Amino acid sequence: MNYASKMTSDVKEGPVITLSNGLSVPILGIGTSPVGGYSHEAMVCALKECGVRHIDTARLYKCEDLVAKSVKESGVARKELFYTSKAWPTQFGYDEVKKTLKKSLKDLDVEYVDLYLLHWPICPSGTKNPKELIAESWQALEECYQQGLCKSIGVSNFEEQHLNDLKETWTVVPHMNQIELHVFNYPKKLIEFCENLGIKITAYSPLAKGKALIHPDVLKIAEEHKCTPSQLLNKWITQKGIITIPKSTKPDRVKENAKIVDITLTPDNVAKLDDISNHEMFSVYVVTQQNIDEWGASLK
């Protein structure tokens, strides 16, 4: 499948992906995961100097209020930005998801988010019917979507079975599935499954926590294109028509990640990078039931 054929372009925002409901999503975003902490300087740099317009955050990250301060200092208008946030599994449930979304809106100081996700398909300990809990949480998101509190809705870390379960009750097909995606973890079958349903993909941890930056094939191809390994890895993702949300706390790294537009990988380059996970497949994010419960306990 030619994922790149799904990509359109916008002069002001740069390359974008169009969701099934017609909403445009900047293909390059900036992540705010708690790994390494939040950097106000890096966020302002991304927005003000690099033209990044897609911000990915979550209730779990506990930085939505900090994002609001960074956006205010950057001077970038709300209408130019695309905000993604997420509800953690301990915040699942029909009423709780709605409350959680409203807390995100308050902390981000916005009237709506552009995309809101169910963060993980692992429900809290003691959940009697996980499938039912996720279904009612999705129903809440559908209603928030209809009310305009979020311009699109989706899931994160959902595999085929989770989506098939949700499919039994959804009335709105998820617009997005945000997944761990890098050269060591390239779930091609899941991506194709989502594409066939009209679900777009966002890749988090595109550099595999730095592990992909030193792979021999990555270094060799980066040298060929006279770009850095991080630029190559992000381009490998966006050239497939998939959104990438690299996170960095260093302004120089943020600038580096933003300079991927002029790189075009050859079919051989893409095939070589695609093949890495066939021989060296691993995940850099393993979330357990204990993580769901313990991390969720710290949320308000």
Side-chain angles (χ1 to χ4, degrees):
M1 182 179 292
N2 181 10
Y3 302 116
S5 66
K6 305 290 186 179
M7 188 166 63
T8 58
S9 181
D10 180 273
V11 175
K12 183 175 67 174
E13 297 180 343
V16 299
I17 296 296
T18 303
L19 301 182
S20 60
N21 65 353
L23 187 67
S24 294
V25 187
I27 201 166
L28 174 66
I30 181 169
T32 60
S33 71
V35 178
Y38 179 81
S39 173
H40 172 76
E41 183 183 11
M43 180 62 72
V44 173
C45 174
L47 299 173
K48 195 171 183 178
E49 299 182 41
C50 304
V52 174
R53 293 295 180 263
H54 181 176
I55 302 171
D56 181 88
T57 189
R59 289 306 291 174
L60 180 69
Y61 305 163
K62 302 177 185 177
C63 66
E64 289 170 316
D65 57 334
L66 301 178
V67 168
K69 292 177 183 177
S70 299
V71 169
K72 184 175 181 180
E73 183 170 321
S74 76
V76 177
R78 168 65 184 97
K79 63 182 180 181
E80 295 184 27
L81 295 172
F82 189 100
Y83 287 92
T84 297
S85 194
K86 318 172 192 75
W88 191 246
T90 54
Q91 300 167 322
F92 285 1
Y94 180 80
D95 292 326
E96 193 63 27
V97 163
K98 290 187 173 185
K99 292 178 184 177
T100 300
L101 171 55
K102 289 176 181 178
K103 289 178 182 177
S104 288
L105 298 180
K106 182 179 179 180
D107 284 354
L108 288 167
D109 194 22
V110 295
E111 295 182 354
Y112 66 90
V113 289
D114 299 275
L115 174 62
Y116 204 69
L117 309 174
L118 299 181
H119 206 152
W120 278 88
I122 304 174
C123 292
S125 295
T127 302
K128 293 182 179 180
N129 191 328
K131 183 177 173 180
E132 185 177 292
L133 180 63
I134 291 174
E136 69 176 67
S137 300
W138 185 254
Q139 181 187 351
L141 280 194
E142 289 179 333
E143 293 180 11
C144 289
Y145 172 58
Q146 297 298 335
Q147 294 166 6
L149 298 178
C150 38
K151 299 299 183 181
S152 58
I153 53 178
V155 295
S156 184
N157 301 296
F158 274 48
E159 301 290 342
E160 289 185 34
Q161 186 56 56
H162 303 125
L163 291 166
N164 280 327
D165 287 344
L166 190 57
K167 188 177 180 181
E168 295 177 10
T169 57
W170 73 34
T171 57
V172 178
V173 178
H175 300 109
M176 185 72 70
N177 188 9
Q178 184 179 124
I179 60 175
E180 179 185 341
L181 197 165
H182 44 74
V183 292
F184 301 120
N185 189 41
Y186 176 40
K188 189 174 181 180
K189 289 183 179 179
L190 175 59
I191 293 169
E192 291 180 346
F193 179 82
C194 289
E195 285 284 334
N196 287 334
L197 289 171
I199 301 170
K200 298 301 182 184
I201 300 293
T202 294
Y204 71 78
S205 196
L207 311 183
K209 290 188 176 179
K211 292 179 172 62
L213 297 172
I214 57 174
H215 192 279
D217 290 338
V218 171
L219 293 171
K220 183 178 179 180
I221 298 172
E223 183 178 2
E224 175 187 332
H225 288 276
K226 295 181 173 56
C227 66
T228 67
S230 65
Q231 289 169 337
L232 174 74
L233 293 164
N234 282 304
K235 185 61 179 185
W236 171 69
I237 292 170
T238 61
Q239 194 163 308
K240 295 176 182 292
I242 296 173
I243 296 160
T244 184
I245 49 171
K247 185 260 174 90
S248 179
T249 58
K250 300 177 181 178
D252 288 347
R253 291 288 189 184
V254 171
K255 293 177 183 178
E256 180 183 324
N257 289 332
K259 296 176 182 177
I260 61 173
V261 177
D262 296 331
I263 305 167
T264 302
L265 305 183
T266 68
D268 286 345
N269 293 155
V270 173
K272 189 73 171 177
L273 296 171
D274 286 357
D275 190 53
I276 292 175
S277 66
N278 290 328
H279 309 284
E280 305 173 62
M281 186 172 186
F282 61 85
S283 172
V284 296
Y285 276 99
V286 178
V287 173
T288 66
Q289 181 71 67
Q290 184 177 357
N291 295 146
I292 295 293
D293 295 338
E294 290 182 352
W295 296 347
S298 69
L299 298 175
K300 297 179 180 180

